[in-house]
Coordinates of all heavy atoms in Angstrom, one line a residue:
A1743 N -15.7 15.4 -5.2 CA -15.8 16.7 -4.5 C -17.2 17.2 -4.6 O -17.7 17.7 -3.6 CB -14.8 17.7 -5.1
A1744 N -17.8 17.0 -5.8 CA -19.2 17.5 -5.9 C -20.1 16.7 -5.1 O -21.1 17.2 -4.5 CB -19.6 17.4 -7.4
L1745 N -19.9 15.4 -4.9 CA -20.7 14.5 -4.1 C -20.6 14.9 -2.6 O -21.5 14.9 -1.8 CB -20.2 13.1 -4.2 CG -20.8 12.3 -5.3 CD1 -20.1 10.9 -5.4 CD2 -22.3 12.1 -5.1
Q1746 N -19.4 15.4 -2.2 CA -19.1 15.8 -0.9 C -20.1 17.0 -0.6 O -20.6 17.1 0.5 CB -17.7 16.3 -0.8 CG -17.1 16.3 0.6 CD -17.1 14.9 1.2 OE1 -17.1 13.9 0.5 NE2 -17.1 14.8 2.6
V1747 N -20.3 17.9 -1.6 CA -21.2 19.0 -1.4 C -22.6 18.6 -1.4 O -23.4 19.0 -0.6 CB -20.9 20.1 -2.6 CG1 -21.9 21.2 -2.4 CG2 -19.5 20.6 -2.5
S1748 N -23.0 17.7 -2.3 CA -24.4 17.2 -2.4 C -24.8 16.4 -1.3 O -25.9 16.5 -0.8 CB -24.6 16.4 -3.7 OG -24.7 17.3 -4.8
N1749 N -23.9 15.5 -0.8 CA -24.3 14.5 0.2 C -23.2 14.5 1.3 O -22.5 13.5 1.4 CB -24.3 13.1 -0.4 CG -25.4 12.9 -1.4 OD1 -26.5 13.4 -1.2 ND2 -25.1 12.1 -2.4
P1750 N -23.1 15.5 2.1 CA -22.0 15.5 3.0 C -22.1 14.4 4.1 O -21.1 14.1 4.7 CB -22.1 16.9 3.7 CG -23.4 17.4 3.3 CD -23.9 16.7 2.1
L1751 N -23.3 13.9 4.3 CA -23.4 12.9 5.3 C -23.2 11.5 4.8 O -23.3 10.5 5.6 CB -24.8 13.0 6.0 CG -25.1 14.4 6.6 CD1 -26.5 14.4 7.2 CD2 -24.1 14.6 7.8
N1752 N -23.0 11.4 3.5 CA -22.8 10.1 2.9 C -21.6 9.4 3.5 O -20.5 9.5 3.0 CB -22.7 10.3 1.4 CG -22.7 9.0 0.6 OD1 -22.8 7.9 1.2 ND2 -22.5 9.1 -0.7
N1753 N -21.8 8.5 4.5 CA -20.7 7.9 5.1 C -20.7 6.4 4.7 O -21.5 5.7 5.1 CB -20.7 8.0 6.6 CG -19.5 7.5 7.3 OD1 -18.6 6.9 6.6 ND2 -19.4 7.6 8.6
L1754 N -19.7 6.0 3.9 CA -19.7 4.7 3.4 C -18.8 3.7 4.1 O -18.6 2.6 3.7 CB -19.4 4.7 1.9 CG -20.4 5.5 1.0 CD1 -19.8 6.0 -0.2 CD2 -21.6 4.6 0.7
T1755 N -18.1 4.2 5.1 CA -17.1 3.4 5.8 C -17.8 2.1 6.3 O -18.8 2.2 7.0 CB -16.5 4.2 7.0 OG1 -16.1 5.4 6.5 CG2 -15.3 3.4 7.5
K1756 N -17.2 1.0 5.9 CA -17.8 -0.3 6.3 C -17.4 -0.5 7.8 O -16.3 -0.4 8.2 CB -17.3 -1.4 5.5 CG -17.6 -1.3 4.0 CD -19.0 -1.8 3.7 CE -19.3 -1.7 2.2 NZ -19.3 -0.3 1.7
K1757 N -18.4 -1.0 8.6 CA -18.1 -1.3 10.0 C -17.8 -2.8 10.1 O -18.3 -3.6 9.3 CB -19.3 -0.9 10.8 CG -19.5 0.6 10.8 CD -20.6 1.1 11.6 CE -20.6 2.6 11.6 NZ -21.8 3.3 11.1
E1758 N -17.1 -3.1 11.1 CA -16.8 -4.5 11.4 C -18.0 -5.2 11.9 O -18.9 -4.6 12.5 CB -15.7 -4.6 12.5 CG -14.3 -4.4 12.0 CD -13.3 -4.8 13.1 OE1 -13.7 -5.6 14.0 OE2 -12.2 -4.3 13.0
F1759 N -18.1 -6.5 11.6 CA -19.3 -7.2 12.0 C -19.0 -7.8 13.4 O -19.7 -7.5 14.4 CB -19.7 -8.3 11.0 CG -20.9 -9.1 11.5 CD1 -22.1 -8.5 11.6 CD2 -20.8 -10.4 11.8 CE1 -23.2 -9.2 12.1 CE2 -21.9 -11.1 12.3 CZ -23.1 -10.5 12.4
V1760 N -18.0 -8.7 13.5 CA -17.8 -9.3 14.8 C -16.3 -9.3 15.1 O -15.4 -9.6 14.2 CB -18.3 -10.7 14.9 CG1 -17.8 -11.6 13.8 CG2 -18.1 -11.3 16.3
R1761 N -15.9 -8.9 16.3 CA -14.5 -8.9 16.7 C -14.4 -9.9 17.9 O -15.1 -9.8 18.9 CB -14.1 -7.5 17.1 CG -12.7 -7.4 17.7 CD -12.1 -6.0 17.7 NE -11.6 -5.6 16.4 CZ -10.3 -5.5 16.1 NH1 -9.4 -5.8 17.0 NH2 -9.9 -5.1 14.9
F1762 N -13.5 -10.8 17.7 CA -13.2 -11.8 18.8 C -12.3 -11.2 19.8 O -11.2 -10.6 19.5 CB -12.7 -13.1 18.2 CG -13.9 -13.9 17.7 CD1 -14.5 -13.7 16.5 CD2 -14.4 -15.0 18.5 CE1 -15.6 -14.4 16.0 CE2 -15.5 -15.7 18.0 CZ -16.1 -15.4 16.8
V1763 N -12.6 -11.4 21.1 CA -11.8 -10.9 22.2 C -11.4 -12.1 23.0 O -12.3 -12.8 23.5 CB -12.7 -9.9 23.0 CG1 -12.0 -9.5 24.3 CG2 -12.9 -8.7 22.1
A1764 N -10.1 -12.3 23.2 CA -9.6 -13.5 23.9 C -8.8 -13.2 25.1 O -8.0 -12.2 25.1 CB -8.8 -14.4 22.9
L1765 N -8.9 -14.0 26.1 CA -8.0 -13.8 27.3 C -7.3 -15.2 27.5 O -7.9 -16.2 27.7 CB -8.8 -13.5 28.5 CG -8.0 -13.2 29.8 CD1 -7.1 -12.0 29.6 CD2 -8.9 -13.0 31.0
G1766 N -6.0 -15.2 27.3 CA -5.2 -16.4 27.5 C -5.0 -17.1 26.1 O -5.7 -16.9 25.1
E1767 N -3.9 -17.9 26.1 CA -3.4 -18.5 24.9 C -4.4 -19.5 24.3 O -4.6 -19.5 23.1 CB -2.1 -19.2 25.1 CG -0.9 -18.5 24.5 CD 0.4 -19.2 24.9 OE1 0.6 -20.3 24.5 OE2 1.2 -18.5 25.6
E1768 N -5.0 -20.3 25.2 CA -5.9 -21.3 24.7 C -7.1 -20.6 24.0 O -7.6 -21.0 23.0 CB -6.4 -22.2 25.8 CG -5.4 -23.3 26.2 CD -4.9 -24.1 25.0 OE1 -5.7 -24.6 24.3 OE2 -3.6 -24.0 24.7
A1769 N -7.7 -19.6 24.7 CA -8.8 -18.9 24.2 C -8.5 -18.2 22.9 O -9.3 -18.2 22.0 CB -9.3 -17.8 25.2
Q1770 N -7.3 -17.7 22.8 CA -6.9 -17.1 21.5 C -6.9 -18.0 20.4 O -7.4 -17.7 19.3 CB -5.5 -16.5 21.7 CG -5.2 -15.6 20.5 CD -3.7 -15.1 20.4 OE1 -2.8 -15.9 20.7 NE2 -3.5 -13.9 20.1
K1771 N -6.4 -19.3 20.6 CA -6.5 -20.3 19.5 C -7.9 -20.6 19.1 O -8.2 -20.7 18.0 CB -5.7 -21.5 20.0 CG -4.2 -21.4 19.9 CD -3.5 -22.7 20.1 CE -2.0 -22.4 20.4 NZ -1.6 -22.8 21.7
K1772 N -8.7 -20.7 20.2 CA -10.2 -21.0 19.9 C -10.8 -19.9 19.1 O -11.5 -20.1 18.1 CB -10.9 -21.2 21.2 CG -12.3 -21.7 21.0 CD -12.4 -23.1 20.5 CE -13.7 -23.5 19.9 NZ -13.7 -24.7 19.2
C1773 N -10.5 -18.6 19.5 CA -11.0 -17.5 18.7 C -10.5 -17.5 17.3 O -11.3 -17.2 16.4 CB -10.6 -16.2 19.4 SG -11.5 -15.8 20.9

Side-chain angles (χ1 to χ4, degrees):
L1745 275 173
Q1746 201 65 22
V1747 176
S1748 280
N1749 295 324
L1751 299 177
N1752 185 5
N1753 186 356
L1754 296 156
T1755 312
K1756 300 274 180 301
K1757 293 179 174 123
E1758 277 189 26
F1759 179 65
V1760 57
R1761 176 163 279 254
F1762 278 79
V1763 170
L1765 183 65
E1767 251 173 61
E1768 282 312 302
Q1770 191 190 40
K1771 281 187 196 118
K1772 188 67 200 170
C1773 284

